[in-house]
Amino acid sequence: DTIRVSGVIVEWMSDSRCRVGLANGHRLVGLASRHRKDQGRKPAVGDRVDLEVSPFDVSKGRLRWREERELI
């Protein structure tokens, strides 16, 4: 099972990774899916996103949806 959290992209890093700030002040590393990477559009700083986080490693997660419910 995965944990779903929402946050805002605060920094874009290399290799389809970004730093996502959560409402509680924590920051996670978000990894964009290969599908979105192939389309060429990456989320921008300030975009609201949902992440799927593994309960075994809560320091990073997979970007799943933008606030507009556009598949990433």
Side-chain angles (χ1 to χ4, degrees):
D1 290 337
T2 59
I3 302 167
R4 271 241 151 119
V5 294
S6 296
V8 178
I9 296 176
V10 294
E11 176 187 359
W12 190 258
M13 302 184 301
S14 63
D15 299 335
S16 301
R17 296 182 307 157
C18 60
R19 193 162 314 275
V20 178
L22 305 180
N24 62 6
H26 293 284
R27 290 190 175 188
L28 306 176
V29 174
L31 305 167
S33 69
R34 186 175 211 43
H35 171 73
R36 177 49 89 188
K37 185 178 176 183
D38 290 343
Q39 288 184 347
R41 164 91 169 65
K42 64 181 181 181
V45 173
D47 284 351
R48 298 185 66 70
V49 293
D50 288 342
L51 290 126
E52 282 186 353
V53 180
S54 168
F56 301 106
D57 185 6
V58 294
S59 65
K60 58 187 171 186
R62 183 183 318 171
L63 294 175
R64 297 303 299 174
W65 300 94
R66 292 172 43 94
E67 187 173 69
E68 301 85 26
R69 295 297 176 208
E70 177 181 326
L71 184 63
I72 292 183

